[in-house]
Amino acid sequence: MSDSDDLDLDGGDAPESGGASKKRGGGLGNLLPSILKFVAIGLGALIFIVTVSVITYNIMNKGGKAQTVVSDPLSPYVGRRPEYAMYTMLGSIQTRTRDFPNSYSVSVEMVIGYDLNDQAASSELIGRTIELQDFVRRYFAGKTAAELAPDREEELKADIREMLNTRFLDTARARIILFRRLDVMEAF
């Protein structure tokens, strides 16, 4: 006889002891391991799908960082630009730069854009015309010719707008600064 016959692992033709028959487990006892196996497979699949989705989403969004799209201003898909009321009563202002040995002559015509329906801003700008002209004259007199170069024009506009909004204007807010003319010429 072999070792497996002695153990009777199958529960086959073993002699009955005590005359009672063995009852085989059925129903829920055999069904429970199968249910647990399918639940574990389902949870594993769900975790895998969520993980892959999160990784894919982060790769597509460059790690969740906000994307800034710089668009071409000539593109037909650029959004509508805001409209501003323009204050044009400053006129032409002439001054000299602060360059020491050779000063340059500066001639500027500046326009201040403000909110379209802001009547208080319109009144404040009109009431301060002389002060605005003096501010513009002093501002350009305090710059050198190198600081007034054409490639630094956007810096100048931002600086003027900031100075007007923080130090000069009370209720009005300058939204945009435009130059009709900004000429820097060497004085003879």
Side-chain angles (χ1 to χ4, degrees):
M1 242 193 199
S2 73
D3 289 338
S4 64
D5 290 340
D6 291 338
L7 293 176
D8 192 23
L9 294 174
D10 296 334
D13 297 340
E16 295 181 12
S17 60
S21 67
K22 270 189 169 178
K23 187 174 184 183
R24 294 189 69 167
L28 191 58
N30 286 338
L31 191 58
L32 188 62
S34 298
I35 291 173
L36 289 176
K37 179 174 69 174
F38 286 116
V39 168
I41 291 171
L43 284 175
L46 183 65
I47 291 171
F48 177 76
I49 290 169
V50 168
T51 303
V52 169
S53 297
V54 168
I55 290 171
T56 304
Y57 182 77
N58 283 338
I59 289 172
M60 295 296 287
N61 286 333
K62 307 271 192 263
K65 296 175 185 161
Q67 296 179 358
T68 302
V69 178
V70 178
S71 60
D72 179 21
L74 301 177
S75 170
Y77 301 109
V78 173
R80 188 171 164 206
R81 292 181 45 127
E83 293 183 32
Y84 299 112
M86 298 295 172
Y87 177 72
T88 60
M89 295 172 41
L90 288 175
S92 179
I93 298 168
Q94 275 127 45
T95 188
R96 292 192 178 268
T97 63
R98 67 179 175 105
D99 295 313
F100 180 63
N102 299 333
S103 66
Y104 289 77
S105 175
V106 179
S107 178
V108 63
E109 283 186 44
M110 191 174 83
V111 176
I112 301 172
Y114 58 95
D115 292 328
L116 194 59
N117 296 323
D118 192 356
Q119 296 300 324
S122 175
S123 298
E124 184 176 358
L125 291 170
I126 291 170
R128 293 182 178 230
T129 300
I130 303 299
E131 293 175 65
L132 285 169
Q133 289 171 340
D134 183 56
F135 163 75
V136 172
R137 184 192 54 77
R138 283 184 291 117
Y139 179 82
F140 285 99
K143 298 290 182 184
T144 63
E147 292 173 322
L148 299 176
D151 59 336
R152 299 191 63 193
E153 191 170 310
E154 291 304 316
E155 281 180 44
L156 291 171
K157 290 177 181 180
D159 190 34
I160 291 171
R161 186 178 66 239
E162 182 67 26
M163 288 178 78
L164 284 175
N165 289 337
T166 58
R167 299 181 192 159
F168 191 74
L169 299 173
D170 292 329
T171 58
R173 290 292 166 250
R175 301 295 182 196
I176 189 171
I177 301 294
L178 302 171
F179 296 126
R180 284 187 174 171
R181 182 179 71 206
L182 177 59
D183 296 328
V184 180
M185 299 167 281
E186 189 172 357
F188 295 104

